[in-house]
Amino acid sequence: MATAVTASATAATRFTRLAGVGLRHSSCRLRTAVRFQRPGLTTTALLRPTELKPKDLGQPETLDYRVFLVDGAGRKFSPWHDVPLRAGDGVFHFIVEIPKESSAKMEVATDEAFTPIKQDTKKGNLRYYPYNINWNYGLLPQTWEDPTAANADVEGALGDNDPVDVVEIGERRANIGDVLRVKPLAALAMIDEGELDWKIVAISLDDPKAALVNDVDDVEQHFPGTLTAIRDWFRDYKIPDGKPANRFGLGNKPTSKAYALKVIEETNESWEKLVKRKIPAGELSLA
């Protein structure tokens, strides 16, 4: 587990690599550079994110199981910090944590070096959803929901200290650790035990219907009932364990694409402050 000291010592290395120097992978010769921009900063990531592949260590459904992202030479990359958020032309990278029609609660280990994907635990036991999730689920890299920032639009709720979640509605079942290119369509402001936990609804560019959906109204037209199903699934999944239902802000409705992009922009800015050490990292790993 990374400590705050470890995070502080590695933050400069992380940000220098993202600026194109590539300290840990300086000898890596990948074919193209993916350029992406954040407010006040232009960086070049010397990798092609879609060429990163998941690598399993340990046996699935055990406490030791981890899924790392590696390049062709076996070098590890953080799915949270190293994969650029933007893929150009309004497209974003999405890391799959939980494949559709599965129930193991997989998530990025934000407190471990290289932030691999692992199965969440509670009281030492592996966690499962009470029923399968019906969509590919994961995170937007280089985003962070700041637990010290109150959102005035959503009841003043504080961020949940994690990357932003994505619900990808395409027809293909992805694999743990896949890096997909998606376009956002809407957002749901879930409030989980008082914390704001955004759900960005998106679709993979590889999906046959991707060209047909570009905003929230298109989702209802071409994927009727899906937005309601997503909201209800995340509202109710804790009830079988005896917990109260989650709530949703913003009138209990999905937002427009424009608002979803605003959420992504703001949480990307929060991540940037985190890796620049403008906000204390605590136990979060920046390695």
Side-chain angles (χ1 to χ4, degrees):
M1 178 180 294
T3 65
V5 174
T6 301
S8 179
T10 58
T13 299
R14 165 79 54 202
F15 215 73
T16 303
R17 179 168 63 252
L18 291 175
V21 176
L23 294 181
R24 183 184 294 132
H25 307 295
S26 59
S27 62
C28 183
R29 296 181 180 178
L30 297 170
R31 287 182 290 172
T32 63
V34 177
R35 293 195 61 80
F36 60 103
Q37 293 184 327
R38 298 193 296 277
L41 182 70
T42 301
T43 63
T44 302
L46 298 178
L47 66 139
R48 294 187 64 177
T50 54
E51 292 184 352
L52 297 178
K53 302 299 180 185
K55 180 179 180 180
D56 295 7
L57 291 182
Q59 294 299 315
E61 300 187 75
T62 67
L63 295 174
D64 296 329
Y65 181 59
R66 298 289 186 275
V67 179
F68 288 89
L69 283 187
V70 300
D71 65 8
R75 288 175 285 244
K76 294 177 181 177
F77 291 82
S78 166
W80 182 18
H81 300 305
D82 286 332
V83 177
L85 170 62
R86 294 172 178 84
D89 298 324
V91 176
F92 297 83
H93 290 115
F94 159 57
I95 314 297
V96 179
E97 294 170 302
I98 305 174
K100 68 188 298 185
E101 305 307 332
S102 65
S103 64
K105 193 175 186 304
M106 308 297 295
E107 61 179 28
V108 162
T110 57
D111 58 355
E112 297 182 12
F114 294 104
T115 63
I117 299 169
K118 68 173 185 177
Q119 189 165 352
D120 191 23
T121 60
K122 184 176 182 180
K123 296 180 179 180
N125 297 314
L126 297 171
R127 293 187 64 187
Y128 295 85
Y129 291 121
Y131 30 71
N132 285 351
I133 190 168
N134 306 125
W135 311 274
N136 294 312
Y137 186 58
L139 73 138
L140 285 175
Q142 298 184 345
T143 62
W144 180 57
E145 299 189 52
D146 183 354
T148 69
N151 190 302
D153 290 348
V154 190
E155 304 176 19
L158 303 176
D160 71 349
N161 202 32
D162 283 324
V164 172
D165 296 327
V166 173
V167 184
E168 193 277 314
I169 62 175
E171 67 177 22
R172 182 176 76 87
R173 184 182 190 271
N175 299 307
I176 298 173
D178 280 354
V179 181
L180 305 182
R181 297 167 67 241
V182 301
K183 57 181 177 180
L185 305 168
L188 286 161
M190 191 175 93
I191 303 172
D192 182 354
E193 298 182 10
E195 295 181 335
L196 180 56
D197 187 2
W198 286 106
K199 309 298 179 188
I200 302 295
V201 179
I203 189 166
S204 171
L205 292 193
D206 295 333
D207 192 80
K209 292 185 178 180
L212 302 176
V213 286
N214 294 290
D215 212 324
V216 61
D217 292 338
D218 299 328
V219 180
E220 190 57 39
Q221 179 180 352
H222 296 283
F223 294 83
T226 294
L227 292 170
T228 298
I230 292 171
R231 184 197 61 197
D232 292 354
W233 195 99
F234 283 98
R235 181 193 65 196
D236 297 341
Y237 79 88
K238 291 186 175 181
I239 293 177
D241 292 331
K243 294 184 177 181
N246 290 318
R247 299 186 297 111
F248 289 85
L250 302 178
N252 203 39
K253 297 179 180 179
T255 74
S256 66
K257 176 177 182 175
Y259 197 99
L261 292 174
K262 174 177 176 287
V263 171
I264 295 170
E265 186 73 19
E266 290 175 350
T267 54
N268 177 232
E269 291 174 3
S270 294
W271 171 85
E272 182 181 329
K273 292 176 183 177
L274 178 69
V275 297
K276 282 185 172 182
R277 302 299 298 163
K278 293 182 178 180
I279 300 175
E283 295 298 315
L284 297 174
S285 173
L286 303 183

